[in-house]
Amino acid sequence: MRLRLFKLVLSCALLMPIFAHASFMPAHLIDGFANVISWVVLIVLPIAFIALFWFVHIWPDTVAKRRQHPQRDAIHALCVLSLFFGGLLWPFAYLWAYTRPTMYKLAYGTDRYTPVDENQVSTPSDQGKP
């Protein structure tokens, strides 16, 4: 008896028309909201994605500079190459920035960054100048 009553009430409820609302906003605000969303999607999101992509790809270079990594020029070059290869090289630059090269101090005498200009050997013509 209860099951039959439940089926009758359920079928009546399903056959009754209900008011459907397609939006959570009043009708006069829908067009304005759609315009705002379309401008955000067309202008703001691509700029934000490009900026995020760029920031992620220069992060290893920033880490290498902060930690005075001895090979930070090479890490910087790998970051730039990673931008052109669509991010495939970025994980290698990231790992390289957070590691210290083994035996580097033994070979070069330091494990700190020294700019390339300071490493240049003077020529015989430069030795006579003060």
Side-chain angles (χ1 to χ4, degrees):
M1 178 71 178
R2 286 186 173 182
L3 185 61
R4 193 183 312 176
L5 181 63
F6 177 72
K7 286 181 181 179
L8 180 65
V9 170
L10 183 64
S11 62
C12 289
L14 290 175
L15 294 175
M16 287 179 24
I18 4 177
F19 295 106
H21 298 286
S23 175
F24 62 91
M25 301 180 78
H28 64 279
L29 293 178
I30 292 175
D31 285 338
F33 186 70
N35 281 336
V36 169
I37 292 296
S38 67
W39 283 109
V40 165
V41 167
L42 290 174
I43 304 285
V44 176
L45 283 180
I47 292 172
F49 283 138
I50 289 169
L52 180 68
F53 184 78
W54 179 75
F55 178 75
V56 163
H57 282 80
I58 66 163
W59 181 251
D61 185 40
T62 307
V63 169
K65 285 179 183 175
R66 187 180 63 225
R67 297 181 59 163
Q68 294 184 353
H69 198 284
Q71 298 166 329
R72 82 176 194 198
D73 293 328
I75 293 171
H76 175 75
L78 190 61
C79 289
V80 171
L81 279 173
S82 180
L83 285 170
F84 290 109
F85 286 107
L88 294 175
L89 302 173
W90 178 81
F92 298 114
Y94 185 74
L95 290 172
W96 194 3
Y98 274 106
T99 58
R100 287 279 179 198
T102 57
M103 306 296 281
Y104 190 88
K105 188 172 186 175
L106 182 66
Y108 296 101
T110 182
D111 63 346
R112 294 276 187 205
Y113 175 73
T114 53
V116 175
D117 297 338
E118 292 178 10
N119 292 337
Q120 290 180 351
V121 178
S122 62
T123 61
S125 62
D126 292 339
Q127 291 176 358
K129 295 180 183 177

